[in-house]
Amino acid sequence: MSFEIHEHRSDPTGTAVAKCPIIGKQMTENRQRTSGMQRYKGFTMIELVVVIAILGILAAVALPHFIDSAKDAHRASVRSAGGALTSAVSLLRGQYELNRGGGSNACLANNCQINVQGYGNGAMDVNANGWPVGTERSGTPLANTSMSADECRNLWSNLLQASSQSLTGTNPAFTATANVTRCLFTYNLDGGDDVIEYNTNTGEVFVNFN
């Protein structure tokens, strides 16, 4: 014969004690959340080192290309200005020859070298070879007429007109200087070592990169 012993606990108040399923579920969720937070505390030292190494490699590869692109953009700007100056010099020379040959824009007071008509506002002057030498000349300027910084600035702005890049102001693109019969226009936005050179004796324009 076997006996089974059943233990019976009663509530002192006389009411049955029942488990609350909502509280149990909330406790389970809290334990799971705490466990997740413990598993994902952040990057390990190795992971950080790997990320930094990757960023360093990307910077080493991309930075030279970025620098080269910026340099190319500056040089393109200088080439563009040099090309515009070359074209303007040739156009003024052509207008001078046309006027001297009896074109519709006749020379003023029989002097074709001063205030060449038919180009821009008619303020440009040319030397005996027909090349631009500024705006403040008089008489008949010789082929080897010396230039000044002011004449080079006047030449630049009046030849290129609306397309001219700045020579004055707080941050000018170019600075004008003179060397005997040459005008030197130094580009300031990329180290100041790129120069457009205009030779008033020959009409040649050179772009020099250093």
Side-chain angles (χ1 to χ4, degrees):
M1 182 179 295
S2 61
F3 295 92
E4 295 182 2
I5 300 175
H6 299 275
E7 184 178 354
H8 177 72
R9 296 180 181 178
S10 60
D11 186 1
T13 61
T15 60
V17 178
K19 294 182 179 179
C20 179
I22 297 178
I23 296 175
K25 181 179 180 182
Q26 185 65 43
M27 292 177 64
T28 301
E29 291 177 352
N30 288 342
R31 285 196 297 270
Q32 292 174 347
R33 189 178 297 112
T34 301
S35 177
M37 292 175 65
Q38 291 174 346
R39 286 198 304 270
Y40 303 103
K41 291 182 178 180
F43 292 109
T44 65
M45 183 60 69
I46 294 177
E47 290 171 333
L48 288 174
V49 170
V50 171
V51 171
I52 292 172
I54 293 174
L55 291 176
I57 293 171
L58 291 175
V61 172
L63 188 59
H65 291 286
F66 175 78
I67 294 174
D68 289 343
S69 297
K71 188 71 173 179
D72 290 342
H74 285 299
R75 289 193 169 185
S77 180
V78 176
R79 287 192 186 96
S80 176
L85 182 61
T86 300
S87 297
V89 167
S90 297
L91 286 172
L92 181 61
R93 170 64 186 274
Q95 187 63 59
Y96 161 74
E97 295 292 350
L98 184 64
N99 294 352
R100 193 173 64 158
S104 58
N105 293 293
C107 304
L108 295 178
N110 295 321
N111 187 347
C112 296
Q113 293 182 236
I114 303 301
N115 296 333
V116 177
Q117 299 299 295
Y119 185 91
N121 59 4
M124 291 298 306
D125 306 326
V126 299
N127 61 17
N129 290 336
W131 301 116
V133 289
T135 60
E136 304 295 331
R137 304 296 180 176
S138 61
T140 54
L142 300 177
N144 60 350
T145 298
S146 295
M147 300 296 293
S148 68
D150 284 340
E151 283 294 350
C152 289
R153 281 189 287 268
N154 291 336
L155 182 146
W156 176 274
S157 59
N158 283 274
L159 270 179
L160 299 179
Q161 303 176 69
S163 65
S164 64
Q165 298 190 47
S166 62
L167 291 178
T168 59
T170 56
N171 189 30
F174 289 89
T175 298
T177 56
N179 182 9
V180 193
T181 62
R182 288 175 167 81
C183 286
L184 306 175
F185 304 100
T186 303
Y187 187 66
N188 299 318
L189 305 183
D190 187 34
D193 54 1
D194 299 330
V195 180
I196 299 173
E197 178 183 333
Y198 166 58
N199 187 336
T200 63
N201 192 29
T202 63
E204 295 175 301
V205 176
F206 301 96
V207 178
N208 303 310
F209 295 113
N210 297 311

